[in-house]
Amino acid sequence: MKRLEGRVALVTGGASGIGKAIVERLSSEGAAVLVTDIDDEGGRSLAESLSSGGARASFAHLDVTSEQEWNAAVATAVEELGGLDILVNNAGMGDLHTIEETSLEEWHRTIAIDQTGVFLGMKTAASALAASAHGSVINISSIFGTSGGFGTSPAYHAAKGAVRTLTKNTALHWVENGVRVNSVHPGFIATPILAETKGTPYEQAMLDLTPMGRLGRPEEIAAGVAYLASDDASFVTGLELYIDGGFAAR
């Protein structure tokens, strides 16, 4: 039997990259998946592709900074797919500016998506998750949520660090509700966003910082998410799961 048979998952930023790999992996494990993204074309195409292959999947537009859109997305999962058992807060953005170069507008925008979006997701999904007998939240943080990285992208680091601690805080609060909350911390992953770094000193720096000597694959992050979403992780909450090729071990 597939580990997630009969369960419903909502994945943010699910149209491409790591989010798409997570959607595909959860679906392959038997979950019905609500793909959400601001990329309507990509998200809808993915949901339709899964549905045509016999899986249960739908798409909903979701700007994770909007509480109204969050409420609508959770309602869609419950009404169209039958409930909500798994929430994956994956949507995010970053930049390469230094603290001096980062404008207040840029700071607020990154915090709104990478940090407040996770808060809103858990807040609006709380009741639906508590009604599940298998409630599981997986928040995608980063290796930069616990390290200073390259000394750039202060808003991104601050937000991902907040996600790390918010995960633990909510995990403790929701223990009595039977809802597990964990964070995943990807290392340098070969997504379309990093394609432009191919063959550049920036790519070499990432490889040099990764003991395994290669970039990770989105499917490797998705495998960790599937584990945390399943009953195989029934005694796991408040965990930081590093999928980083050894970066954090240095």
Side-chain angles (χ1 to χ4, degrees), residues 45-132:
S45 175
L46 176 58
E48 290 174 352
S49 175
L50 292 172
S51 296
S52 66
R56 295 180 63 212
S58 297
F59 171 74
H61 178 91
L62 174 59
D63 175 349
V64 296
T65 69
S66 168
E67 186 171 10
Q68 181 179 1
E69 291 190 17
W70 261 114
N71 283 323
V74 171
T76 296
V78 173
E79 294 165 10
E80 292 189 11
L81 298 177
L84 183 60
D85 307 284
I86 302 159
L87 171 63
V88 183
N89 284 307
N90 166 74
M93 66 165 292
D95 65 79
L96 296 176
H97 294 158
T98 65
I99 195 164
E100 295 89 350
E101 297 166 336
T102 301
S103 69
L104 183 59
E105 181 181 4
E106 290 172 323
W107 171 272
H108 284 317
R109 180 61 176 163
T110 300
I111 296 296
I113 294 172
D114 292 356
Q115 177 179 332
T116 306
V118 174
F119 159 76
L120 287 173
M122 292 193 290
K123 178 179 175 63
T124 57
S127 295
L129 290 166
S132 167

Side-chain angles (χ1 to χ4, degrees), residues 25-229:
R25 179 58 184 261
L26 298 184
S27 178
S28 74
E29 294 268 7
V33 184
L34 180 64
V35 183
T36 72
D37 208 297
I38 57 172
D39 176 4
D40 294 343
E41 182 178 354
R44 188 171 292 110
S45 175
L46 176 58
E48 290 174 352
S49 175
L50 292 172
S51 296
S52 66
R56 295 180 63 212
S58 297
F59 171 74
H61 178 91
L62 174 59
D63 175 349
V64 296
T65 69
S66 168
E67 186 171 10
Q68 181 179 1
E69 291 190 17
W70 261 114
N71 283 323
V74 171
T76 296
V78 173
E79 294 165 10
E80 292 189 11
L81 298 177
L84 183 60
D85 307 284
I86 302 159
L87 171 63
V88 183
N89 284 307
N90 166 74
M93 66 165 292
D95 65 79
L96 296 176
H97 294 158
T98 65
I99 195 164
E100 295 89 350
E101 297 166 336
T102 301
S103 69
L104 183 59
E105 181 181 4
E106 290 172 323
W107 171 272
H108 284 317
R109 180 61 176 163
T110 300
I111 296 296
I113 294 172
D114 292 356
Q115 177 179 332
T116 306
V118 174
F119 159 76
L120 287 173
M122 292 193 290
K123 178 179 175 63
T124 57
S127 295
L129 290 166
S132 167
H134 306 279
S136 178
V137 178
I138 300 96
N139 295 323
I140 307 301
S141 180
S142 169
I143 51 172
F144 288 166
T146 53
S147 74
F150 299 107
T152 57
S153 313
Y156 181 82
H157 285 69
K160 293 301 187 179
V163 167
R164 172 186 180 236
T165 307
L166 177 61
T167 296
K168 295 178 183 297
N169 177 266
T170 311
L172 294 174
H173 177 55
W174 280 354
V175 162
E176 294 183 359
N177 292 340
V179 178
R180 298 179 297 102
V181 189
N182 296 287
S183 59
V184 170
H185 298 251
F188 302 113
I189 308 301
T191 63
I193 294 176
L194 290 184
E196 62 188 50
T197 70
K198 186 71 174 176
T200 69
Y202 189 81
E203 181 191 42
Q204 190 57 53
M206 292 187 289
L207 295 175
D208 290 343
L209 285 169
T210 303
M212 292 185 73
R214 67 171 176 86
L215 300 182
R217 301 187 300 273
E219 293 79 9
E220 291 172 313
I221 307 303
V225 171
Y227 159 69
L228 291 172

